[in-house]
Amino acid sequence: MKRVVVGMSGGVDSSVAAYLLKEQGYEVIGMFMKNWHDDSVTISKECPWLEDSNDAMIVAQNLGIPFQAIDLSKEYKERIVDYMFDEYQKGRTPNPDVLCNREIKFDIFLKAAIKLKADYIATGHYCRKAEEVIDGETTYKLLAGKDNNKDQSYFLCQLTQDQLSKALFPIGELTKPEVREIAKEIGLITADKKDSQGLCFIGKVRLPEFLQQKLEPKRGKVIEVPANAPMYQEQVLAGSGNNFDLAEMTKSITYSEDDGKVVGEHTGAHYFTIGQRKGLNIGGTPEPLFIIDTDTTNNIIYTGQGENHPGLYKKGLLINTDDIHWVRPDLEMPIGSSKDYLVRIRYRQPLEKATLFREGNGLYMIFDNPQKAIAPGQFAVWYQDDELIGSGVIS
């Protein structure tokens, strides 16, 4: 009998994952990860992880499976939290959920499961796994979940073949309503529990408040750049006709104070991200202001009016060589080649058509349609049909 350790978060998805595996004849062990809890940066008095841990334990008792909790808060702080602060300080937008899967669930947690002589680990992610023998070797494929509304393959975009070989995703073939229905039928206390919002570790803390604990507020200018500013004309020329310059088409505009007028003040450029509309608290413009760039060195935020402002859109992006990751190493593109893929640059964004160009300095991604709010630090992910082929950090 194969043994599988299920990462039980105290939510309905992982509860049903554990139940399904037991039904399929696996020997199932439930394990709760206490990821990170630092009272100095938790604002609310609520203690979400304690409540979640109890829910996970009750579900395990209900299913008649052994249960234990593992404290990963030290590794969590080092690998995720410190990285996040560092990235925000540099004016980039990290994705802690992607990192959590790569660094914690499918690394430290996986190693803990292997110590328990487990054959697999399982999570409550809405995605699927397939395998195919290619050139005599088993190749593992990461596929989108059946529920288009909930597909979470994006968050697993940094997994390796080795990690995938040991992973099971029991609810990938189900939709969220079906998962809740199963939980109700078997009387699990998590059946109607709300989905956890926010970062995978700070529970009930909102991001700006969280960042303010470590990154000091400092006042700076908010500058509005007009939509007809000359640099946008130059950008259009770079990608027109046969003048196909990858570096020009993907390069970010460097703004200066002279490019617009001061329209207000902010509390720290490192709290804000490209594409953000809320949180500036500056009114009086015909259309709402969107953030088109943050300059954390000089502590300036650049904004533009309306969601069609040209400063919000770019035709392409670059992933530096060191940041390219192939879930399917057998499909790695050689330097000098190009290929069409479906791409998303943030979770829940509809897939967009793009051509990938593999060059010496990295991977250029040129979209059929300009993309809104491409944020450095986020992950761009490419698919062939419903299979996730690779990912990388936007430079």
Side-chain angles (χ1 to χ4, degrees):
M1 189 191 267
K2 295 275 191 191
R3 176 178 291 181
V4 55
V5 173
V6 184
M8 294 181 73
S9 65
V12 66
D13 299 330
S14 55
S15 303
V16 170
Y19 164 75
L20 292 172
L21 290 166
K22 196 181 171 204
E23 290 293 291
Q24 288 162 21
Y26 289 95
E27 179 197 346
V28 180
I29 298 170
M31 195 185 269
F32 177 83
M33 285 171 267
K34 179 188 170 188
N35 279 336
W36 187 62
H37 188 75
D38 175 350
D39 291 321
S40 70
V41 299
T42 304
I43 297 199
S44 59
K45 286 284 170 267
E46 300 165 75
C47 190
W49 71 264
L50 216 78
E51 187 187 309
D52 291 340
S53 169
N54 285 336
D55 287 350
M57 184 170 68
I58 292 165
V59 167
Q61 284 170 342
N62 210 333
L63 297 175
I65 60 173
F67 175 80
Q68 53 175 283
I70 178 172
D71 186 347
L72 301 178
S73 39
K74 180 176 167 290
E75 295 87 342
Y76 213 92
K77 180 173 181 322
E78 287 164 7
R79 294 200 191 189
I80 312 292
V81 180
D82 293 349
Y83 169 85
M84 277 184 66
F85 282 130
D86 189 49
E87 285 284 276
Y88 274 104
Q89 200 132 25
K90 291 176 185 156
R92 290 158 59 91
T93 310
N95 191 313
D97 295 303
V98 172
L99 287 172
C100 174
N101 287 313
R102 182 182 81 190
E103 301 285 334
I104 305 294
K105 289 179 187 158
F106 291 86
D107 184 12
I108 298 170
F109 180 71
L110 175 58
K111 286 170 183 155
I114 288 169
K115 278 192 186 139
L116 296 174
K117 306 221 173 351
D119 299 286
Y120 298 105
I121 61 167
T123 62
H125 282 106
Y126 286 87
C127 62
R128 295 168 299 146
K129 170 180 138 177
E131 44 192 84
E132 186 187 336
V133 176
I134 299 172
D135 296 336
E137 286 205 22
T138 303
T139 295
Y140 297 93
K141 301 178 177 187
L142 176 61
L143 309 176
K146 272 275 151 66
D147 186 338
N148 284 336
N149 274 327
K150 288 295 291 180
D151 166 41
Q152 290 173 314
S153 54
Y154 176 89
F155 292 132
L156 301 168
C157 68
Q158 288 275 296
L159 295 193
T160 63
Q161 283 290 305
D162 189 44
Q163 289 169 322
L164 267 180
S165 72
K166 297 183 177 65
L168 297 175
F169 307 113
I171 62 169
E173 298 286 347
L174 301 171
T175 64
K176 185 78 184 202
E178 289 170 332
V179 167
R180 288 209 186 274
E181 200 46 50
I182 292 170
K184 276 201 188 79
E185 276 168 27
I186 58 174
L188 296 182
I189 57 157
T190 51
D192 293 317
K193 190 169 172 178
K194 286 223 316 266
D195 287 354
S196 62
Q197 288 305 317
L199 304 170
C200 59
F201 61 94
I202 339 177
K204 301 184 166 62
V205 177
R206 287 189 297 285
L207 188 63
E209 295 169 348
F210 170 68
L211 290 174
Q212 277 165 21
Q213 317 288 332
K214 299 269 180 201
L215 305 178
E216 289 294 309
K218 52 177 179 192
R219 293 208 164 285
K221 296 173 187 167
V222 177
I223 289 177
E224 185 194 328
V225 180
N228 58 4
M231 75 276 269
Y232 300 130
Q233 303 311 317
E234 291 160 23
Q235 214 180 20
V236 171
L237 293 172
S240 59
N242 300 324
N243 185 14
F244 204 67
D245 185 331
L246 292 174
E248 277 299 316
M249 289 169 77
T250 53
K251 120 177 154 197
S252 297
I253 292 173
T254 306
Y255 293 96
S256 72
E257 290 190 51
D258 309 334
D259 292 330
K261 61 175 199 278
V262 177
V263 289
E265 264 195 339
H266 61 79
T267 51
H270 43 252
Y271 300 143
F272 295 90
T273 181
I274 292 173
Q276 187 174 333
R277 190 188 90 174
K278 295 189 165 58
L280 274 173
N281 301 324
I282 296 170
T285 50
E287 286 193 85
L289 290 176
F290 285 82
I291 293 174
I292 56 175
D293 196 25
T294 61
D295 175 353
T296 51
T297 312
N298 300 306
N299 198 32
I300 298 171
I301 285 176
Y302 293 96
T303 62
Q305 260 189 62
E307 55 187 326
N308 294 320
H309 189 283
L312 279 174
Y313 290 85
K314 269 174 76 177
K315 186 78 173 131
L317 60 89
L318 168 66
I319 296 167
N320 291 324
T321 300
D322 289 350
D323 293 325
I324 305 170
H325 172 72
W326 296 92
V327 176
R328 287 283 305 275
D330 57 314
L331 296 180
E332 183 172 339
M333 291 166 63
I335 288 177
S337 66
S338 65
K339 191 168 173 20
D340 292 344
Y341 278 114
L342 293 168
V343 173
R344 63 168 51 106
I345 53 170
R346 65 180 70 83
Y347 176 53
R348 298 200 74 128
Q349 181 205 26
L351 288 167
E352 296 280 344
K353 289 182 176 166
T355 306
L356 275 58
F357 296 86
R358 181 74 171 92
E359 299 290 320
N361 62 333
L363 192 64
Y364 287 94
M365 216 172 249
I366 305 296
F367 294 94
D368 287 15
N369 301 307
Q371 293 301 296
K372 184 178 172 185
I374 296 177
Q378 283 282 14
F379 287 87
V381 172
W382 52 99
Y383 291 79
Q384 202 163 317
D385 300 322
D386 61 352
E387 183 186 357
L388 197 158
I389 304 297
S391 67
V393 182
I394 300 170
S395 79

